[in-house]
């Protein structure tokens, strides 16, 4: 099990010691899509035209969730994030809402989980605000887009936006 | 915007008043799938044979997340849940890991978001514990399976397991 | 010290036993004002014309804070709130931003602190978002407006809006 | 909207990237006053003579709230504070209770919100412990007193104590 | 494993469904002792004579911890506690500090873990405030004293105070 | 009271300013024992043979608690921990379960409280999962084992394992 860094030689979970890693700039971006009926998307757009609170609430929920990643994901390190940015966009081609989250830190470990958590919670928030009209929505493809910094090298998902 | 219950007549977000709804038993189940490379799944199975901590950590993370739903999803009501159950299963047909979460409460509002949050956070936890070997994993199809109780009627997703 | 219900006969703090009080509907409203320079208010209005995110962020922060009242105020009882509503309005007569929060619960104790906490944290959030242009802002007059339900009787602050 | 740093060019809220700012010592102090009836203050002083728990509870609540600032104020950065100090003093000239909070960190961004949050929550706690005898109390003038460190320069409120 | 109610038939952890249990008054008390050098106890008493803040801080920490039991203990149900009371007393016979915590709720499950968590965290807080002078202190005998209400019957530890 | 660093010259609690201390590697380990009836231990071992979830849940609870130490212990500094490791072992000689927790950080203050909190909460979790069969269990001897780094020097409890 040597490859699964969160498990020790006996297969027991622990929070990996990162004390010997250098503090460097780490960045990550992740996305999540809420797929919905075209009529739900139309309703959302109509609401957005007036006030935009669905989008604003989802953005804030995502930002706040990124800060709580270490409380939610048991083996994540607590990290004093330098940046959190969550974009929430209506997309006809889904049809639905696409969320893209970006996080950065100067730290000893990466922020992939922070970006993924922000995207996933923003998506859950969109679901919550629209579920009265459409319970069939699906949160599809919560995924890492990019990762920069750290010993394990950079990462870019195939077909991720530049 | 009358149909979007979380927005008032001016499109502003608020936490809906449920004070006039009766307290009744409410149940919901939700699922989420972590799609991964077959070699990652094989590695996970090998680890599980010994100790199973990936599955146990994901289950606990999901249970704990369900309790924090109202902190994560801004317009959710705080609810003293009566039941939280999270199943984490390796599935060759995905290939990957399927999570099914079930919640119940005696309350004035449903627990769909609690079940969805439990499933999503358990899935993020699986991603976290395997990401050192496979960053291309995708959390696919976080979705509501069933819902029982409450004024809006019961719900069963098409093709959801009975 | 009999009149200070949070202190026992030796003056020590405790969380009052409310187990013998009936569960009834309790409501409260509270307000807080962020007093600012007229030029700051003008800048805020200009921004609001476009997107309104300052107002939306403050509303969400207030709603989320109401749910965490028992974590913040040591002797408050945890309460499963039925309703949280936070209004954030630009006011020329202050000049500044007025916040009004309303909470309700079916419980054994009142929700004054929940309404006050929502108003105070929404006000702090407005301060945070504008402090880069005006550090002299003051959060004035965080106060209870009304209270309904419970043994201690109803309350309406003199001159509170109906 | 360039001057409102928490909003991007489209007016959407985000947590500002501070990754390019140097880590330096940052300090801030803030105050808040709970204005009350002279008879309430007399009752508080009588209690304080015996045990002081109102003051102690408010101090602890303020200290704990400072640590949670980033959870409460959506666009605040999480910061590992080096110092939190909360003073709670009975003041005949108000009449009421004055709270002064001081925070410090070695970080990339200031701690004004941490000091303001500590002062505001300590004030709410005083209100909570005395509300059974005086619901007309007002939390007046939650305000920044001083700020040191960081690119935006030092700040001292006019008439702030040295 | 039928007797271990937190594990299902496959030995997997879950939060037991209590939805079919009646809502009744449940009470529990628990204790914890911080054993210390007599000179440490003397120092604490000297400090207490002046202000009592060590005792007040420990009391508040215990009260706050009781409210967070379901966040700390993974399979505990969230409960809206009706009462939390934490007594912190210097005891020559230990020598050290004895903590007794009492909790009550109208709920479907007991509050033993809430009382035990309050006692344990109050004890940790005493340790924290005195550790600069005595690192050899031990937190001894965190234990349930009494339990009332609920299907499983009442409990009184042998030799527990009446 | 000079020796009690958490109290100032007037005996009031505050979070000590550590801003002038150097950032260095700090480590600590702590232990806690859950003493139980031999039949309870036998039941636990039987369960563990199959799945081990009691041990896994306790480990995760301890890890998560370590991250929340500053929220639980009022005068603790928030610290971005680099390592958390919790070992849970059945011990015939107790008889019962021994928990050993190890924490590390690069910081300005030590992590003794983090290790102690992890051990105490893991022990409470073991109690919770077994209390249906044995309410007489006692959490004995929550204690610091070792401490390394920092101005106050290293510490090793007499008879602590090397």
């Amino acid at each position: 099990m040597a490859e699964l860094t969160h498990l020790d030689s006996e297969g027991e979970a622990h929070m990996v010691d990162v004390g010997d890693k250098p503090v460097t700039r780490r960045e990550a971006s992740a996305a999540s899509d809420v797929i919905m009926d075209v009529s739900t998307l139309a309703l959302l757009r109509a609401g957005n035209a007036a006030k935009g609170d669905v989008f604003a609430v989802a953005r804030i929920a995502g930002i706040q969730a990124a800060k709580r990643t270490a409380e939610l994901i048991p083996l994540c390190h607590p990290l004093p994030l330098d940046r959190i940015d969550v974009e929430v966009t209506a997309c006809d081609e889904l049809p639905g809402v696409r969320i893209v989250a970006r996080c950065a830190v100067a730290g000893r470990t990466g922020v992939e989980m922070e970006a993924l958590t922000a995207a996933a919670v923003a998506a859950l928030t969109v679901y919550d605000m629209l579920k009265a009209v459409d319970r069939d929505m699906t949160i599809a493809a919560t995924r890492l887009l990019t990762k920069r910094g750290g010993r394990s090298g950079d990462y870019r998902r195939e077909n991720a936006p530049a």
Side-chain angles (χ1 to χ4, degrees), chain A:
Chain A
M1 294 292 282
E3 292 171 89
L4 298 184
T5 51
H6 289 308
L7 301 184
D8 63 21
S9 59
E10 301 188 36
E12 293 176 358
H14 62 126
M15 201 180 86
V16 181
D17 191 351
V18 298
D20 62 340
K21 294 190 186 180
V23 172
T24 60
R25 170 80 170 188
R26 320 270 180 149
E27 300 176 347
S29 61
S32 191
D33 298 329
V34 187
I35 310 296
M36 58 187 65
D37 195 87
V38 288
S39 67
T40 311
L41 183 59
L43 188 69
L44 175 65
R45 280 189 190 283
N48 184 39
K51 278 282 174 172
D53 250 351
V54 173
F55 294 80
V57 177
R59 267 196 307 269
I60 299 307
I63 289 171
Q64 289 299 74
K67 299 184 202 171
R68 314 191 77 170
T69 302
E71 293 183 26
L72 292 169
I73 313 297
L75 305 181
C76 273
H77 293 78
L79 287 176
L81 293 173
D82 281 339
R83 177 202 186 186
I84 311 169
D85 188 88
V86 178
E87 247 177 71
V88 183
T89 317
C91 292
D92 288 320
E93 67 265 35
L94 290 172
V97 170
R98 172 155 294 165
I99 291 132
V100 176
R102 291 177 193 86
C103 295
V105 77
R108 291 185 162 81
T109 183
V111 290
E112 298 100 301
M113 293 315 302
E114 282 73 9
L116 283 161
T117 301
V121 171
L124 288 167
T125 300
V126 169
Y127 187 98
D128 179 47
M129 296 186 77
L130 299 176
K131 72 180 190 294
V133 295
D134 183 359
R135 288 186 201 278
D136 287 324
M137 288 178 291
T138 295
I139 300 174
T142 303
R143 72 246 184 224
L144 187 67
L145 295 179
T146 62
K147 170 191 178 298
R148 255 191 292 267
R151 240 169 5 194
S152 67
D154 291 356
Y155 170 84
R156 170 173 305 276
R157 180 175 290 265
E158 239 175 278
N159 301 320

